[in-house]
Amino acid sequence: MRVDVLCAEIGSTTTVVNAFSGIRTDNPHLEGQGFFRTTVLEGDVTVGLNAAMDDLKSHLQTDHLSWDRFLASSSAAGGLRMSVHGLVYDMTVRAAKEAALGAGANIHQITAGRMSRSDLKKLHENRPNIILIAGGVDYGERETALYNAEKIALLKLDIPVIYAGNLQNREEIGEIFQNTGSPLYIVENVYPGIDRLEVQPARKIIQTIFEEHIVHAPGMDKIRSLVDGPILPTPGAVMEASLLLKENLGDLITFDVGGATTDVHSVTEGSDDVNRIQLYPEPRAKRTVEGDLGVFINRMNVFALSDKKRMTRICGIKEEELEDSVLALNALPKNPQEGALVSELTFTALKTALHRHVGKYRDSFMAQGKKTGSEGRDLTAITTIVGTGGALTRLDTGASLLTEVFTQGHKKDLLPQALPRVLIDSSYIMASLGVLSREYPEAAARLFSFYQAENQTRRVPHGGS
């Protein structure tokens, strides 16, 4: 059997392979899916990938499978790890952080101002996949970024470096990293002027470096030789899909609940009323990643944040037995009671992640009286909630959990007054659509629209549509 495109998503706990046909027609469709656990611990992620492909062939009832293109995304072995170094935390550092997170990175170190000896020691020990240096608006302060660049260059880490700061420093930055072994990429300033964010150029180059240079997990070099198209960090692929869907669905927020993390992606310009009182600028597309909110690998962290009485009531488990029951959970629930526990963990992950992502109204008191401003992410214009990731796509309760989370916001939260509609990526193709959208944007949009219409009444089985 021959298909147009295979798209693999190599996650922290699960590897899925999606097969698509009709990509160049008006009727693109999902032929089928194959699943297997991700085999980082076995020392080679291709073991899990090959098993997922065997599962796909079984569902397609074929012994031979060929394809025109093979694309992929990955968050195995921690995904894309970055460090960010800027001048002022609420300005250049925050802009650089937004660029890195929006590209799909997990940030392992952030520094503001001149890096200290302990900062440099931590950078040497962390050895991120990419280092991002920012600092200074264009034609503004120059010395901090140059100082940090010189100190980083002396470490001779052989790690790709992106410079996205004051444009006046570009020539000197190039000289500093010459002959250091660290590939240097210079892009537009992420904070070119006061209250101006320009994060998209940095995001694009981060994903390019990921594709060209990064081998995260054992066996990823073999996957690079197999894949003939882009490999994106999975969170970056979900962001790409969210950006694509925004054009069709309007302002939206995407929740991606996984075994290790919960990611929240929002694409919105916000509302005029809130924009007028915003204290700091926000990007059009924003991602927050909660590394402590995974419902399998980090399930005990989530359990600690959960309402135990609620879990007891809903799951039918005595409160003193809850902890052992959560400890014993499998990556895939094996019975209704395990499913109920995962559902409650997912609810806690969603509620906590939304609370951390959304902005707030802030009151300040002056001689003239109380003044209300806003700080953080404005979600008041959101009209659609999208749920994806292993937990939300496998649970029958995914849509109701998202609805409930949005009814429990605080009055100070910058949330929409009307409850947004909820769409669940039941066919589990959103990350694949993000990868597809790089080369086949129209097909990716049609695929999501079709499967959303279909999945309002049924789930797509692993064997196909």
Side-chain angles (χ1 to χ4, degrees):
M1 181 176 183
R2 190 170 189 85
V3 297
D4 289 342
V5 177
L6 286 184
C7 195
E9 179 190 342
I10 305 164
S12 56
T13 56
T14 304
T15 293
V16 57
V17 180
N18 290 313
F20 298 101
S21 294
I23 289 296
R24 298 173 184 83
T25 73
D26 291 335
N27 185 34
H29 55 280
L30 177 67
E31 287 283 359
Q33 295 174 312
F35 289 82
F36 200 75
R37 58 186 169 78
T38 298
T39 51
V40 172
L41 296 180
E42 283 84 340
D44 189 346
V45 294
T46 58
V47 174
L49 176 64
N50 289 330
M53 291 180 69
D54 287 341
D55 186 47
L56 171 63
K57 286 188 236 181
S58 174
H59 288 302
L60 294 176
Q61 299 181 342
T62 182
D63 293 327
H64 303 286
L65 183 64
S66 59
W67 54 87
D68 295 334
R69 303 293 310 282
F70 198 124
L71 314 176
S73 68
S74 173
S75 58
L80 169 57
R81 295 175 293 108
M82 286 186 64
S83 68
V84 170
H85 312 280
L87 175 57
V88 177
Y89 186 85
D90 282 332
M91 296 181 181
T92 54
V93 175
R94 194 165 62 87
K97 178 182 172 183
E98 296 289 357
L101 288 172
N106 296 321
I107 300 178
H108 285 235
Q109 184 181 11
I110 296 174
T111 66
R114 291 193 173 204
M115 295 179 70
S116 64
R117 280 187 229 176
S118 61
D119 291 333
L120 293 162
K121 180 181 178 182
K122 184 178 179 181
L123 179 62
H124 190 273
E125 291 171 349
N126 283 344
R127 298 193 69 85
N129 301 126
I130 301 174
I131 297 168
L132 175 57
I133 300 173
V137 300
D138 288 341
Y139 305 103
E141 201 271 356
R142 301 182 60 186
E143 296 306 315
T144 300
L146 292 173
Y147 175 89
N148 289 342
E150 287 173 346
K151 293 298 183 182
I152 291 171
L154 288 173
L155 296 177
K156 297 188 181 297
L157 297 175
D158 297 334
I159 293 170
V161 173
I162 299 171
Y163 176 69
N166 187 341
L167 62 82
Q168 287 182 294
N169 285 342
R170 292 177 179 176
E171 186 174 343
E172 289 179 69
I173 293 287
E175 293 173 358
I176 288 170
F177 284 99
Q178 205 167 30
N179 303 319
T180 63
S182 292
L184 176 67
Y185 301 81
I186 295 177
V187 298
E188 286 88 344
N189 194 345
V190 291
Y191 197 81
I194 299 299
D195 293 341
R196 283 179 56 207
L197 300 184
E198 297 289 347
V199 298
Q200 201 58 33
R203 283 179 178 173
K204 287 182 178 179
I205 201 66
I206 289 167
Q207 292 185 344
T208 297
I209 296 170
F210 183 93
E211 294 174 34
E212 292 179 353
H213 297 286
I214 308 303
V215 177
H216 313 270
M220 281 301 292
D221 54 338
K222 300 176 188 175
I223 289 176
R224 176 69 271 182
S225 65
L226 179 65
V227 171
D228 59 3
I231 300 179
L232 296 182
T234 298
V238 175
M239 176 61 87
E240 292 290 331
S242 298
L243 287 164
L244 176 73
L245 297 180
K246 200 268 188 190
E247 304 306 315
N248 298 291
L249 302 176
D251 291 12
L252 59 83
I253 185 168
T254 300
F255 291 86
D256 185 356
V257 183
T261 68
T262 294
D263 289 2
V264 184
H265 308 253
S266 58
V267 188
T268 176
E269 288 82 10
S271 63
D272 292 339
D273 289 344
V274 174
N275 284 334
R276 281 193 289 268
I277 58 173
Q278 273 280 28
L279 299 178
Y280 302 105
E282 287 283 323
R284 177 173 177 264
K286 181 184 183 76
R287 168 182 172 247
T288 51
V289 54
E290 309 304 338
D292 61 332
L293 298 182
V295 295
F296 180 64
I297 293 173
N298 289 319
R299 63 191 181 279
M300 298 315 296
N301 295 334
V302 180
F303 175 69
L305 297 169
S306 297
D307 181 339
K308 310 303 187 297
K309 294 190 183 305
R310 174 190 159 106
M311 291 187 82
T312 295
R313 184 179 73 254
I314 292 177
C315 300
I317 302 172
K318 293 179 181 178
E319 189 167 341
E320 60 269 23
E321 297 175 359
L322 280 174
E323 184 170 353
D324 288 341
S325 298
V326 173
L327 271 170
L329 279 175
N330 296 283
L332 299 177
K334 293 187 175 180
N335 55 57
Q337 191 173 73
E338 285 194 358
L341 279 171
V342 173
S343 179
E344 282 304 290
L345 292 174
T346 301
F347 173 76
T348 300
L350 290 169
K351 184 177 178 181
T352 308
L354 177 61
H355 176 74
R356 295 174 183 176
H357 186 86
V358 68
K360 320 287 180 188
Y361 288 107
R362 305 289 188 194
D363 292 333
S364 57
F365 295 88
M366 303 178 181
Q368 300 91 338
K370 185 174 77 170
K371 182 178 180 181
T372 299
S374 66
E375 183 176 3
R377 191 59 166 170
D378 174 18
L379 300 179
T380 58
I382 294 293
T383 58
T384 303
I385 306 167
V386 179
T388 189
L392 286 174
T393 58
R394 295 191 189 106
L395 292 170
D396 291 332
T397 56
S400 61
L401 293 177
L402 285 166
T403 298
E404 186 176 1
V405 162
F406 267 75
T407 63
Q408 296 193 0
H410 190 273
K411 65 179 181 179
K412 293 284 188 180
D413 291 341
L414 297 173
L415 291 173
Q417 291 187 347
L419 185 66
R421 63 174 171 168
V422 176
L423 301 176
I424 298 295
D425 175 28
S426 302
S427 49
Y428 204 1
I429 59 173
M430 193 156 181
S432 292
L433 295 186
V435 180
L436 278 172
S437 71
R438 297 286 290 269
E439 298 185 26
Y440 310 105
E442 292 182 2
R446 286 196 184 100
L447 280 162
F448 188 85
S449 297
F450 173 74
Y451 285 106
Q452 279 310 308
E454 290 291 299
N455 289 329
Q456 302 309 306
T457 55
R458 67 175 179 85
R459 287 176 176 269
V460 175
H462 292 177
S465 54

